[in-house]
Amino acid sequence: QGNKWRKLKPLLPPQSPIPSGIFSFGGPFSNHLHALAAAGVMYGFPTAALIRGAFADLENPTLAFAARCGMKLFPVAKSDYEKLKKAALLDIFDFLEFQPEVPYIRLPEGGDAPEALRSCMEIVAEIKAQLPAVSGQPIFIAVPAGTGCTAAGVIAAAADWARVLVFPA
């Protein structure tokens, strides 16, 4: 549910069941990784993630949930995390000494991709449908931003209809 699912849905392969695993990136409290782990259980594909911070608490509620869902978690130093985000998936696996049993596809940190941004544009239509008709009154939409993908989608769709306030998460 919510914006994390909205961002994840268009990035998942259309096959069911998904014939590969999905690897992504996030911080120790990443809602994206939480959603990806849940999707892995729901749709029957393995998940793995690079976690920002070598000493990340793997028992915090977010990562503990991901682990219970079967997600393989790889905490690394922040400097390695930034380098590995830009590396090829096989190079990441070599660095981690991870030898998955099935092929994996890569999702960007936070699900931040053009397809996800377009999916987030739907949020504005849903807001419009829920608001009573108002004329001449300013409309403000407040959006938290991690990678900024959801905020960018809302801004693009709101255009001249509403003012969007973005707050860093």
Side-chain angles (χ1 to χ4, degrees):
Q1 71 182 21
N3 74 317
K4 298 304 174 183
W5 172 247
R6 188 181 306 275
K7 288 167 43 176
L8 189 57
K9 183 177 66 166
L11 300 176
L12 296 176
Q15 302 94 348
S16 182
I18 295 171
S20 63
I22 297 181
F23 187 90
S24 197
F25 309 80
F29 297 97
S30 169
N31 290 325
H32 164 67
L33 296 182
H34 189 279
L36 177 60
V41 170
M42 288 176 64
Y43 296 101
F45 59 86
T47 57
L50 193 68
I51 308 300
R52 184 181 58 250
F55 302 105
D57 177 10
L58 299 181
E59 297 301 317
N60 78 47
T62 303
L63 295 182
F65 172 82
R68 282 193 309 276
C69 288
M71 179 178 270
K72 293 184 182 357
L73 305 172
F74 298 97
V76 297
K78 291 179 182 180
S79 58
D80 289 331
Y81 180 87
E82 292 305 320
K83 290 177 196 168
L84 291 169
K85 274 195 329 185
K86 300 170 188 163
L89 195 53
L90 291 178
D91 292 335
I92 296 170
F93 289 174
D94 285 345
F95 179 87
L96 299 173
E97 299 179 0
F98 177 46
Q99 298 176 351
E101 296 175 9
V102 298
Y104 269 69
I105 61 172
R106 171 193 189 128
L107 288 185
E109 181 178 35
D112 188 7
E115 301 89 346
L117 185 143
R118 284 189 292 279
S119 186
C120 288
M121 292 174 71
E122 297 168 6
I123 294 169
V124 174
E126 292 173 14
I127 291 171
K128 284 181 178 181
Q130 295 176 42
L131 287 178
V134 292
S135 62
Q137 295 180 339
I139 304 285
F140 291 89
I141 302 172
V143 183
T147 61
C149 181
T150 300
V154 170
I155 290 167
D160 297 329
W161 179 75
R163 296 174 95 184
V164 180
L165 307 174
V166 180
F167 298 91

